[in-house]
């Protein structure tokens, strides 16, 4: 961290003093009734609605032990039917329960199971059900020494290979939201995992972030906030933990940031969420990530292009990459035969329209027209695609049609 960012950190802490004394973190979102126990995908959500559910464990090459959930069929099983596997990969700072927070007719995980698919749910390293490691614990700083580079290089292939192996060698339909789209695009750009994937669905792709509309996210990036907390020795970022509290105290010193509606400030004005689902999301789906991962995301906002993690100087980059700047993920090199369904919203602050159009121009320019489908939903923001009450009609119906054709 340089002197300027350190000075900015101290200045903003001072400006946040009055906000600290007169505000409460409880006022930043919808008022929700306290929950007595955390949601679990299998034991709470699937069991409540009569769905079968399995727990699987997968160990990555770098030693992280990941939880993988499976709903092999719907409530009413059709005998002697071959079910194509689908893998759902969640976004940043959530876990797989985000796919089943609504009723069976609203939640994508249940809709796919009832629609004849064998549904698998990934949970990245650091989330509540994936915090084990072969030699480290979450209390070890080294446990959090990763970014989405490692999710693409280790978590994603380990999970996909497990699903492939446990479903008779069938190729897998992949559905990612937000960060889940970034890691599959990164893998495809290096021509990895193509032998395991049947098609890819990208909900709110965030490959390019240079023009993100979130003032909160931009301010945090501008003042090198994640870098500052890393410099101070923090390694884990829990969105409902003490580090998050301190970060908000700093950010909310800026009068342009609306800290009483953080959901909108970060993701955009969602059109189609009901209060109970939002409360379920805030209470049960939010999960930890690494501070280093947030630094990597900040680098994507600060600089154009999709690159590996920048270690901050040519010497360190040379040590890791044998070149002074981090290598680019060349998304234009993604093979044109991979079927893709891409959907995005006009109100999304993270997967904003200009950045998503940049991605579309990169992919559509070379992609086979029969293998690319794009769905634009003008009123949707980031969370609508996962927990919107009308997503089954607007998004999931066309998506399932796409999966069935491929």
């Amino acid at each position: 961290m340089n002197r300027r960012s350190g000075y900015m950190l101290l200045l903003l802490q001072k400006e946040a003093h009055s906000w600290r004394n007169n505000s409460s973190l409880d006022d930043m979102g919808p008022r929700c009734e306290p929950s007595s126990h955390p949601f679990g995908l299998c034991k709470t959500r699937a069991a409540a609605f009569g769905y079968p559910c399995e727990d699987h464990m997968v160990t990555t090459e770098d030693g992280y032990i990941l939880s993988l959930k499976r709903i092999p069929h719907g409530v009413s099983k059709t005998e002697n039917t071959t079910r194509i596997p689908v893998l759902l990969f969640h976004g940043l700072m959530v876990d797989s329960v985000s796919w089943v927070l609504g009723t069976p007719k609203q939640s994508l995980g249940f809709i796919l199971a009832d629609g004849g698919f064998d549904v698998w749910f990934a949970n990245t390293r650091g989330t509540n059900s994936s915090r084990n490691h072969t030699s480290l614990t979450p209390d070890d700083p080294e446990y959090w020494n990763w970014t989405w580079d490692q999710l693409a290089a280790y978590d994603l292939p380990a999970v996909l290979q497990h699903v492939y192996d446990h479903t008779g060698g069938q190729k897998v339909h992949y559905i990612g939201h937000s960060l889940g789209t970034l890691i599959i695009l990164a893998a495809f750009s290096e021509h990895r995992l193509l032998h395991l994937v049947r098609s890819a669905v990208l909900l709110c792709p965030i490959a390019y972030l240079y023009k993100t509309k979130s003032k909160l996210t931009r301010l945090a990036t501008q003042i090198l906030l994640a870098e500052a907390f890393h410099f101070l020795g923090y390694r884990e970022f829990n969105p409902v933990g003490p580090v998050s509290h301190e970060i908000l105290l700093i950010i909310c010193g800026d009068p342009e940031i609306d800290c009483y509606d953080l959901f909108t400030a970060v993701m955009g004005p969602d059109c189609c969420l009901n209060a109970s689902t939002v409360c379920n999301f805030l209470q049960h789906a939010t999960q930890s990530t690494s501070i280093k991962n947030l630094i990597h995301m900040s680098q994507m906002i600060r600089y154009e292009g999709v690159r590996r993690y920048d270690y901050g100087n040519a010497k360190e980059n040379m040590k890791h990459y044998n070149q002074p700047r981090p290598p680019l993920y060349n998304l234009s090199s993604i093979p044109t035969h991979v079927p893709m369904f891409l959907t995005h919203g006009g109100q999304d602050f993270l997967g904003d329209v200009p950045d998503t159009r940049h991605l579309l121009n990169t992919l559509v320019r070379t992609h086979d027209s029969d293998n690319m489908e794009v769905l634009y939903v003008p009123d949707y923001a980031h969370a609508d695609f996962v927990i919107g009450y009308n997503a089954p009609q607007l998004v999931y119906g066309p998506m399932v049609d796409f999966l069935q054709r491929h």
Side-chain angles (χ1 to χ4, degrees), residues 16-91:
H17 180 73
S18 62
W19 189 91
R20 180 196 296 267
N21 290 336
N22 296 297
S23 303
S24 165
L25 292 177
D26 295 334
D27 295 329
M28 292 185 184
R31 295 186 178 275
C32 304
E33 292 296 323
S35 177
S36 59
H37 58 84
F39 279 1
L41 193 151
C42 284
K43 292 183 179 179
T44 306
R45 303 304 294 164
F49 296 110
Y51 289 84
C53 195
E54 302 171 4
D55 288 296
H56 293 246
M57 304 303 293
V58 181
T59 302
T60 67
E61 284 188 14
D62 57 346
Y64 290 83
I65 301 171
L66 310 179
S67 170
L68 181 62
K69 311 297 186 184
R70 181 191 193 186
I71 298 180
H73 57 79
V75 174
S76 301
K77 180 181 179 181
T78 303
E79 297 295 335
N80 300 320
T81 300
T82 300
R83 292 174 175 266
I84 303 298
V86 177
L87 174 64
L88 299 175
F89 215 110
H90 60 79

Side-chain angles (χ1 to χ4, degrees), residues 38 70 88 90 114 135 194 237 338 386:
R70 181 191 193 186
L88 299 175
H90 60 79
D114 288 332
S135 62
L194 297 168
F237 179 81
V338 181
V386 177

Side-chain angles (χ1 to χ4, degrees), residues 60 86 93 114 156 167 172 235 255 280 282 290 332 352 358:
T60 67
V86 177
M93 290 190 285
D114 288 332
L156 181 58
T167 55
V172 182
R235 295 296 181 266
N280 285 342
L282 293 175
S290 71
S332 64
D352 60 278
H358 183 187

Side-chain angles (χ1 to χ4, degrees), residues 137-274:
T137 75
D139 292 329
D140 298 319
E142 185 62 25
Y143 177 92
W144 299 100
N145 186 22
W146 51 266
T147 81
W148 60 262
D149 282 336
Q150 283 68 49
L151 302 186
Y154 298 112
D155 289 27
L156 181 58
V159 169
L160 271 172
Q161 189 66 55
H162 184 92
V163 174
Y164 181 85
D165 292 342
H166 282 73
T167 55
Q170 296 187 81
K171 282 192 170 186
V172 182
H173 287 300
Y174 180 89
I175 300 175
H177 176 246
S178 189
L179 188 68
T181 68
L182 176 59
I183 59 176
I184 195 69
L185 289 171
F188 282 170
S189 74
E190 298 178 336
H191 294 199
R192 294 187 291 108
L193 307 180
L194 297 168
H195 64 294
L196 301 176
V197 177
R198 182 182 297 262
S199 72
V201 173
L202 311 178
L203 305 175
C204 315
I206 61 166
Y208 298 105
L209 293 173
Y210 187 66
K211 297 182 179 179
T212 183
K213 292 169 63 178
S214 170
K215 292 181 179 179
L216 187 153
T217 305
R218 281 202 166 279
L219 177 59
T221 298
Q222 178 185 352
I223 65 173
L224 305 178
L225 194 55
E227 288 87 342
F229 275 86
H230 193 272
F231 177 82
L232 294 173
Y234 295 100
R235 295 296 181 266
E236 176 183 2
F237 179 81
N238 181 340
V240 293
V243 177
S244 174
H245 187 130
E246 293 302 316
I247 286 177
L248 289 175
L249 291 176
I250 296 169
I251 290 293
C252 295
D254 189 302
E256 292 191 13
I257 307 300
D258 181 6
C259 284
Y260 296 97
D261 188 1
L262 287 176
F263 217 67
T264 295
V266 175
M267 296 187 286
D270 297 280
C271 69
C272 305
L273 309 182
N274 61 51

Side-chain angles (χ1 to χ4, degrees), residues 320-396:
H320 287 87
Y321 308 123
N322 200 32
Q323 60 185 63
R325 293 195 67 197
L328 277 168
Y329 290 99
N330 183 6
L331 302 188
S332 64
S333 71
I334 292 176
T336 61
H337 67 275
V338 181
M340 288 190 183
F341 180 97
L342 189 153
T343 180
H344 64 118
Q347 304 303 313
D348 194 342
F349 279 7
L350 293 178
D352 60 278
V353 172
D355 282 327
T356 304
R357 285 178 177 167
H358 183 187
L359 174 64
L360 283 170
N361 289 336
T362 302
L363 296 177
V364 174
R365 183 170 58 239
T366 58
H367 222 76
D368 294 347
S369 58
D370 292 340
N371 286 330
M372 173 66 73
E373 189 167 326
V374 178
L375 175 63
Y376 175 63
V377 187
D379 295 334
Y380 264 29
H382 208 65
D384 287 308
F385 288 89
V386 177
I387 56 176
Y389 57 76
N390 56 357
Q393 294 76 38
L394 296 183
V395 179
Y396 304 159

